[in-house]
Amino acid sequence: MDELEWENQTTITEFLLLGFGDFHELQILLFFPFLVIYVLTMTGNILIIVLVLTDQHLHTPMYLFLANLSCLEICYTSTILPRMLASFLTGNRTVPVHGCIVQFWVFGSLAASECYLLSAMSFDRYVAICKPLHYTAIMKTKVCLQLVAASWVCGFVENAILILFVFDLTFCGHNEIDHFFCDFIPIMQLSCTDTHKAQLALTFLASFCTFPAFILTIASYVYIINAIIRIPSVRGRQKAFSTCSSHLVVVSIFYGTIIIVYVLPKTEILKNLNKMFSVFYTVLTPLVNPLIYSLRNKEVKEAWKRCVMKCKSNRNIM
Ligand SMILES: *[C@@H]1O[C@H](CO)[C@@H](O)[C@H](O)[C@H]1NC(C)=O
């Protein structure tokens, strides 16, 4: 074996995450907007959790689910943004192969958990709007807790199975990933062993776990919209719709960008836009969710007002 060939066969232990290009100045420029996004995302989601847990009016399944979603999204951005910010600042773009796979595992698990939690939330809206008389009997505290726990556990177990196959792969030769985090497809492209089994595992899990959650969400909304249309008064229709519109917006953004990145065929134009859409569902969704709920949802708005009043009166007493 000559030297060149040998080099091709060397197992690599580090990947190079190319991120958003090579220019050092650009990296520094990108650091600040992403830092602001990260700080705002953390603040927004923490405020939602605090608001829901402290305001008695928001102790309903819908808002407890929302607080759980915020909790999930804090973890979700934290698997991607801190590493990205550090690499903008230091210019160090290498990641150990195992670190990369672990990042994909945690990120993938949280994304799957988010799918399940979103479908639990739409099921909650379905029961509230289509079966209002049975709502308290169906959405008991215990049931809600079970749904939340199942979302987390299923997400992590599902991806652990996938990771078993990914850890089996060896990587050699080329080590550059043209992306800003370790995602499934770029990791597969760098493997020099057969990725067939891992791809099959992904297809299997996506079709039997994630896809049904997606269908459940869609089905809930078909029933919900169908029920809302049949409400005779305009006021009643608006009132029913306002309780689920924020959630519908959140679901549409999340699934919309995921479908563009993972499901649509990879044409040249889409390939170039892929990174941008990935920024949408990894970085921007967790940022806009608390905003959507705070701006569109009447009950959350009123809870904010109560919270501000409480703070003011506390200050007056002191
Ligand atoms: C998550 O949801 C459960 C069940 O509804 C609730 O008891 C719990 O307080 C929520 N957790 C957070 C952090 O909001």
Side-chain angles (χ1 to χ4, degrees):
M1 218 187 277
D2 65 26
E3 194 133 357
L4 202 75
E5 239 176 285
W6 173 241
E7 214 172 70
N8 277 340
Q9 297 303 317
T10 322
T11 326
I12 48 176
T13 53
E14 277 185 338
F15 289 137
L16 202 60
L17 275 176
L18 295 185
F20 295 101
D22 273 330
F23 310 104
H24 188 64
E25 287 78 10
L26 180 68
Q27 309 286 317
I28 300 289
L29 269 181
L30 284 172
F31 175 78
F32 290 101
F34 278 104
L35 180 68
V36 171
I37 290 176
Y38 188 52
V39 171
L40 288 180
T41 306
M42 295 304 262
T43 323
N45 284 299
I46 289 173
L47 282 177
I48 290 276
I49 296 173
V50 171
L51 191 69
V52 170
L53 294 185
T54 55
D55 195 314
Q56 287 295 327
H57 294 88
L58 298 184
H59 282 186
T60 61
M62 175 172 162
Y63 296 107
L64 289 170
F65 282 139
L66 175 66
N68 279 281
L69 185 71
S70 284
C71 203
L72 198 103
E73 304 219 296
I74 287 174
C75 305
Y76 183 78
T77 30
S78 297
T79 58
I80 296 195
L81 271 174
R83 201 218 71 90
M84 197 161 122
L85 290 171
S87 109
F88 283 151
L89 213 52
T90 60
N92 179 4
R93 297 187 286 179
T94 57
V95 237
V97 168
H98 285 165
C100 202
I101 296 177
V102 169
Q103 186 189 40
F104 164 68
W105 177 47
V106 178
F107 171 76
S109 305
L110 291 169
S113 300
E114 180 150 349
C115 290
Y116 300 136
L117 196 58
L118 287 176
S119 56
M121 290 171 87
S122 38
F123 175 70
D124 166 69
R125 288 299 86 207
Y126 160 75
V127 178
I129 291 171
C130 302
K131 308 249 179 286
L133 298 179
H134 303 110
Y135 186 73
T136 40
I138 297 174
M139 300 306 284
K140 286 196 264 291
T141 315
K142 200 175 141 210
V143 175
C144 295
L145 266 177
Q146 282 167 343
L147 285 173
V148 168
S151 305
W152 284 88
V153 172
C154 290
F156 275 85
V157 169
E158 172 191 333
N159 274 270
I161 298 171
L162 184 59
I163 283 305
L164 288 183
F165 291 96
V166 179
F167 263 123
D168 245 10
L169 304 173
T170 21
F171 301 91
C172 47
H174 192 63
N175 75 340
E176 289 178 348
I177 294 182
D178 185 17
H179 208 12
F180 58 90
F181 72 100
C182 297
D183 202 358
F184 186 76
I185 298 164
I187 296 181
M188 289 302 107
Q189 283 166 346
L190 292 184
S191 165
C192 50
T193 39
D194 189 13
T195 58
H196 217 81
K197 274 190 210 154
Q199 309 241 14
L200 210 62
L202 178 72
T203 314
F204 184 82
L205 292 170
S207 0
F208 290 97
C209 303
T210 322
F211 189 63
F214 174 63
I215 293 297
L216 185 69
T217 309
I218 301 272
S220 303
Y221 274 101
V222 171
Y223 279 112
I224 289 171
I225 290 169
N226 200 7
I228 289 179
I229 291 172
R230 277 191 269 146
I231 296 176
S233 77
V234 178
R235 285 261 331 262
R237 240 177 285 164
Q238 278 171 347
K239 196 160 166 253
F241 188 66
S242 77
T243 66
C244 63
S245 63
S246 320
H247 183 247
L248 186 59
V249 174
V250 169
V251 166
S252 313
I253 297 177
F254 183 73
Y255 279 115
T257 46
I258 282 194
I259 287 172
I260 291 172
V261 174
Y262 294 102
V263 182
L264 291 188
K266 299 277 168 291
T267 58
E268 259 327 291
I269 303 170
L270 272 183
K271 239 187 225 162
N272 295 329
L273 289 177
N274 238 349
K275 237 189 252 179
M276 205 186 79
F277 282 113
S278 301
V279 171
F280 264 96
Y281 77 84
T282 53
V283 176
L284 295 182
T285 325
L287 172 69
V288 294
N289 285 359
L291 283 178
I292 292 171
Y293 272 95
S294 308
L295 298 179
R296 292 187 58 102
N297 191 295
K298 218 168 126 206
E299 281 176 62
V300 175
K301 269 195 223 166
E302 270 158 22
W304 278 126
K305 275 185 211 147
R306 277 194 295 273
C307 181
V308 172
M309 299 274 256
K310 232 192 281 170
C311 288
K312 269 190 190 155
S313 62
N314 280 351
R315 216 182 306 149
N316 289 344
I317 292 166
M318 285 194 289

